[in-house]
Amino acid sequence: MSNHDELNFDVVVVGAGNAALCAAIASREKGAKVLVLEKGPKRKRGGNSYFTDGAIRFAFNGLDDLRKVMPSISNEEASKINMPPYTAEKYYSDLMKATGNQSDPELANHLVSKSYETIEWMHSHKIVFELIYDNQSFVKDEVYHFWGGLPVKTQDRGVGLIKQLNERAGELGIEVWYESPAVKINTNNDEVTSIVVNKNGEQVTVQTKSVVLACGSFEANKKLRAENLGEEWNHAILRGTEFNTGDGLTMAFEVGAQPFGQWSMGHAIGTDANAPKVGDFTKPGDIFKKHSYPLGIMINKDGVRFVDEGADFRNYTYAKYGREVLKQPGHVAYQVYDQQVRPMLRDEYDREEATCFKADTIEELAAQLDVDQEQFIKTIAEYNDAVQGGEYQPAEKDGKGTEGITPPKSNWALKLEKAPFYAYPVTCGMTFCFGGLRANTKGEVLNKSGEPIQGLYAAGEMIGGIFYENYPGGSGLMSGAVFGKTAGTSAAKYVNGQLV
């Protein structure tokens, strides 16, 4: 093979996470010769997707739809499952509700309407899905009742997803270069002609007519983060890869791409206060998050509550409550629980990595924490007094709330009264930024006039305009797959230099 052939590809995909690999596979399916560029070394491949817990939100009409993509569900298992449908209308409504109706309707509709067929397509490429029994269902009369519209995850979380996608890419003959960040896109008359790559320290130019940018946002770039979100965001820890420094966005803007979406905000959650400052590839699987706060209360260092922990199911509040923790003194808060709910907490609370304080009285608990002890004790007493009667139902919005305190707790309000008592310190963990590129429903990147830049596509966290303020859990991974498949399919329009 001549050097010219080695540096000539129909499609070059920048990034190697879920969106990128879905794009690469979709292009390869169309007969394109595909190159994937991974900035990190092989042992740190996969971007933020590697760190996800794998929950993926898509529309479906019932258990039969799920069994098509999870053939391992036996008839016996199916007979013990109550699976309400999660319609496209409900998904769209949930997305719009979470984003305050700011999500671009065309992009939102594309995500939702293509979600199930994209899951079917992933299944056809050997991606394995599983039901999430542990925190998306409850058992009643020996039947698992699912709720919340998020019953499915990828096998072995993000680690399994990245492994399976890479295995499939290998089977299909997709070439991957590690430690090879893209540095510049070359264009002629607003058309992509080639891309410059720093391949293991050597600068090479790869000829191509199609580039798919799928290399995440700029959350790992402290300068860009402070400029766009504010200085306080430099106190947030990074949940995912250290390689998402905004390179793809910078390259796109250099060739005239239009910025789009909410540049002042991002996806941020409450995570263990002692979690690594940047994603640790030896500890993936989202093991540091702390998402059971609807079952307890959150108190800051001043000893006061600051959010309605029971405003909604965690799937609809966790992506915005992280920044509420960031606003607190010392950028820390304590999730407080008693023994009544401790057995119901998610598995991350049982891990050796979980930071936990435990005591037999509220006073003894307060003494262990870096809080205003007197106010902490008073806040819990006032909260207990405000808890109203009603039936406690953790799997549905039970309306069992508080009265007479601010902020209220709207659902799942139980008195903190059964020893022992537990406190888990959390801080803000940044996942990705909501600002990105303007793209259409073909995955084409648009210029400032709203016209496609010929041969330039985007997918995943690089597309702006879908998420604002918040997002429904599991929709980020789905968006990556949908727009990855879309962009990869669009990008494969030139094969061997011919329009196909």
Side-chain angles (χ1 to χ4, degrees):
M1 186 186 280
S2 71
N3 193 47
H4 174 76
D5 286 338
E6 284 175 18
L7 297 178
N8 201 325
F9 289 84
D10 298 319
V11 177
V12 176
V13 179
V14 183
N18 167 53
L21 292 171
C22 283
I25 291 167
S27 287
R28 186 74 192 103
E29 239 181 1
K30 297 290 179 196
K33 182 186 176 192
V34 182
L35 172 65
V36 170
L37 301 174
E38 166 61 273
K39 186 178 178 181
K42 189 172 183 178
R43 66 189 168 82
K44 290 187 174 185
R45 70 182 180 184
N48 278 350
S49 306
Y50 187 78
F51 291 92
T52 174
D53 70 356
I56 188 161
R57 180 180 295 264
F58 57 92
F60 61 93
N61 293 318
L63 188 58
D64 286 349
D65 277 357
L66 298 187
R67 292 186 73 182
K68 286 177 191 166
V69 295
M70 288 182 279
S72 62
I73 299 175
S74 66
N75 290 337
E76 186 185 357
E77 188 180 348
S79 71
K80 295 175 181 171
I81 293 172
N82 174 30
M83 182 68 69
Y86 187 65
T87 63
E89 293 74 22
K90 178 74 172 102
Y91 193 169
Y92 187 85
S93 162
D94 284 345
L95 180 58
M96 284 300 177
K97 182 185 171 194
T99 62
N101 286 315
Q102 295 175 88
S103 186
D104 179 271
E106 284 190 10
L107 297 177
N109 185 59
H110 186 72
L111 163 59
V112 168
S113 65
K114 300 292 181 188
S115 62
Y116 181 72
E117 67 183 66
T118 302
I119 292 288
E120 284 190 301
W121 174 81
M122 292 171 81
H123 170 64
S124 77
H125 284 288
K126 306 182 184 178
I127 306 307
V128 182
F129 299 102
E130 298 176 339
L131 289 177
I132 308 174
Y133 278 103
D134 56 357
N135 51 50
Q136 298 295 327
S137 73
F138 64 97
V139 182
K140 191 174 180 181
D141 301 327
E142 297 185 3
V143 172
Y144 286 91
H145 295 264
F146 281 82
W147 55 277
L150 187 57
V152 177
K153 65 175 180 176
T154 54
Q155 183 187 55
D156 196 18
R157 307 187 185 206
V159 180
L161 173 63
I162 291 301
K163 180 173 182 281
Q164 290 160 22
L165 284 168
N166 274 293
E167 283 171 358
R168 187 61 179 147
E171 286 173 7
L172 294 172
I174 294 166
E175 198 166 327
V176 181
W177 292 356
Y178 294 103
E179 297 179 68
S180 298
V183 291
K184 185 174 188 289
I185 297 162
N186 293 321
T187 58
N188 186 14
N189 295 330
D190 224 18
E191 288 187 23
V192 169
T193 57
S194 62
I195 186 165
V196 181
V197 183
N198 187 340
K199 186 185 185 190
N200 304 122
E202 181 196 354
Q203 208 157 86
V204 297
T205 300
V206 177
Q207 304 300 317
T208 186
K209 288 187 185 303
S210 297
V211 169
V212 179
L213 294 172
C215 51
S217 63
F218 59 90
E219 73 278 358
N221 185 322
K222 279 200 163 188
K223 182 171 178 286
L224 286 178
R225 204 165 66 188
E227 281 173 12
N228 289 286
L229 281 76
E231 290 288 342
E232 73 273 14
W233 285 89
N234 281 337
H235 297 284
I237 65 175
L238 209 59
R239 300 176 63 218
T241 177
E242 72 254 46
F243 300 117
N244 285 5
T245 51
D247 311 7
L249 295 166
T250 303
M251 287 188 291
F253 295 144
E254 283 172 356
V255 296
Q258 181 188 153
F260 192 49
Q262 189 179 28
W263 278 73
S264 61
M265 202 62 76
H267 179 295
I269 72 158
T271 192
D272 195 290
N274 293 309
K277 293 288 180 265
V278 61
D280 181 347
F281 279 83
T282 67
K283 291 193 171 183
D286 211 3
I287 62 175
F288 294 100
K289 70 181 178 205
K290 294 287 176 285
H291 278 176
S292 292
Y293 56 83
L295 302 179
I297 61 174
M298 282 201 282
I299 297 179
N300 68 15
K301 286 189 173 189
D302 291 340
V304 297
R305 290 174 58 248
F306 54 94
V307 292
D308 178 350
E309 303 89 348
D312 206 331
F313 291 120
R314 56 160 285 277
N315 289 342
Y316 302 113
T317 58
Y318 75 83
K320 64 178 179 178
Y321 277 6
R323 70 174 171 273
E324 296 304 321
V325 172
L326 188 68
K327 294 174 187 173
Q328 305 313 306
H331 318 290
V332 165
Y334 294 92
Q335 295 180 359
V336 183
Y337 307 98
D338 73 354
Q339 191 54 37
Q340 289 178 91
V341 301
R342 178 62 188 87
M344 292 188 261
L345 303 189
R346 294 165 60 99
D347 66 346
E348 61 262 20
Y349 291 82
D350 299 323
R351 295 178 178 273
E352 61 179 299
E353 289 85 2
T355 308
C356 177
F357 298 93
K358 181 180 175 182
D360 287 329
T361 67
I362 295 293
E363 290 76 11
E364 287 171 16
L365 188 66
Q368 296 181 51
L369 311 179
D370 181 14
V371 293
D372 179 326
Q373 293 181 38
E374 193 177 323
Q375 183 58 51
F376 180 91
I377 294 162
K378 185 181 171 194
T379 293
I380 290 178
E382 288 174 350
Y383 165 77
N384 283 347
D385 288 345
V387 170
Q388 300 299 293
E391 191 181 353
Y392 180 69
Q393 295 275 8
E396 57 190 67
K397 286 195 203 176
D398 59 10
K400 182 170 159 43
T402 58
E403 204 170 279
I405 57 169
T406 305
K409 187 173 182 190
S410 301
N411 294 284
W412 314 298
L414 279 181
K415 291 184 179 185
L416 287 156
E417 57 186 6
K418 187 178 179 189
F421 302 94
Y422 303 84
Y424 295 84
V426 293
T427 189
C428 175
M430 180 98 201
T431 317
F432 67 96
C433 304
F434 290 154
L437 304 175
R438 182 105 198 213
N440 61 21
T441 55
K442 294 178 182 173
E444 297 172 319
V445 175
L446 308 183
N447 64 19
K448 303 242 174 28
S449 313
E451 299 295 319
I453 298 170
Q454 292 302 311
L456 190 60
Y457 306 87
E461 295 166 356
M462 293 205 60
I463 296 183
I466 301 173
F467 304 126
Y468 290 79
E469 308 292 334
N470 190 15
Y471 89 162
S475 49
L477 209 54
M478 191 71 254
S479 177
V482 166
F483 283 94
K485 178 176 183 283
T486 298
T489 303
S490 298
K493 65 182 184 183
Y494 292 105
V495 176
N496 298 323
Q498 305 299 309
L499 196 59
V500 291

